[in-house]
Amino acid sequence: MNNILVPQTGFTGKHLTGEKIDKAVRKISDLSSIFNDEAAFAAAPPDKIVYEVESYLPVKDGTTGGLFFGITHLHPGMVGNEYFMTKGHFHKLADRGEFYWGIEGEGMLILMDKNRKTWAEKMYPGSLHYIDGYIAHRTANTGSGIFSFGACWPSDAGHDYDIISQHGFSKILVEENGTPVLIDRVKD
Ligand code: PAN
Ligand code: ZN
């Protein structure tokens, strides 16, 4: 025994391999109250996959001082004029930050502070994004192929989905003349 170990988990650049990988799939039917256009949402195929998340969770959820590592794959598509996007969340321990980085395809990182000020950053292969604590975050696929990005966050951060599912972000990302634009969300 020479104390040189072989890792049991790998990162191929796009996918995670090996042990302790958690896989989650989010379909249209899992995303009620996320999209603004309720009629378009009701008409969308409920079983269509919107995104998949592979996560390496080396420690128990809630552990102070540990880290989690995930890759999200957002499929291309729209609900009405809104791009396919993740649910979005604040962290349950609200001061916990996170890194995101673009791996493949084109997307947008949509951010909102506690005062409901919303802005967005373009994501593309090689882009790196530091998400400060107290900032809600979600991503949207603005391209025609799969959009994949990496994430690294503290293992005690947790996810608070309730505020976003009840009140949304104050702005939504829609396609206008083939271009993504961030506009005020007016709920009818
Ligand atoms: C990411 C997200 C992932 C899926 O790993 O959890 O992109 O988005 P939702 O969790 O909003 O469905 C992250 O931000 N972790 O903290
Ligand atoms: Zn997060």
Side-chain angles (χ1 to χ4, degrees):
M1 185 60 181
N2 59 11
N3 291 322
I4 297 176
L5 307 178
V6 175
Q8 298 302 300
T9 309
F11 175 42
T12 66
K14 186 167 172 189
H15 292 285
L16 297 174
T17 57
E19 295 175 355
K20 293 190 184 163
I21 305 300
D22 179 82
K23 294 195 179 175
V25 176
R26 301 278 178 251
K27 299 177 179 174
I28 292 272
S29 56
D30 299 314
L31 302 174
S32 61
S33 78
I34 295 299
F35 293 99
N36 204 49
D37 184 338
E38 282 169 16
F41 178 79
D47 284 336
K48 195 167 170 55
I49 293 176
V50 178
Y51 60 101
E52 296 157 88
V53 189
E54 307 169 46
S55 305
Y56 177 33
L57 312 171
V59 294
K60 201 166 160 279
D61 193 17
T63 302
T64 304
L67 294 170
F68 289 156
F69 188 99
I71 312 293
T72 302
H73 307 282
L74 257 163
H75 292 236
M78 317 271 314
V79 172
N81 63 354
E82 246 181 316
Y83 299 94
F84 273 11
M85 61 182 163
T86 59
K87 286 189 196 181
H89 56 266
F90 285 95
H91 288 153
K92 206 165 254 169
L93 283 188
D95 66 350
R96 298 311 197 240
E98 181 160 3
F99 275 115
Y100 273 12
W101 59 97
I103 294 175
E104 182 179 316
E106 288 166 47
M108 205 72 85
L109 169 58
I110 306 166
L111 301 157
M112 183 176 75
D113 70 14
K114 284 188 299 185
N115 300 319
R116 297 190 57 74
K117 177 176 168 261
T118 298
W119 69 103
E121 294 178 7
K122 281 189 177 185
M123 294 185 77
Y124 47 86
S127 68
L128 181 62
H129 312 263
Y130 175 65
I131 303 167
D132 218 338
Y134 302 103
I135 304 291
H137 42 286
R138 82 156 29 126
T139 51
N141 185 344
T142 54
S144 51
I146 202 105
F147 165 51
S148 299
F149 66 93
C152 185
W153 68 101
S155 49
D156 62 354
H159 297 110
D160 180 347
Y161 293 104
D162 291 349
I163 301 170
I164 299 303
S165 78
Q166 284 164 28
H167 305 289
F169 281 59
S170 62
K171 290 179 187 285
I172 58 172
L173 190 74
V174 297
E175 186 186 61
E176 272 181 19
N177 304 318
T179 310
V181 286
L182 203 55
I183 59 166
D184 286 340
R185 174 171 168 273
V186 184
K187 197 78 188 154
D188 49 18

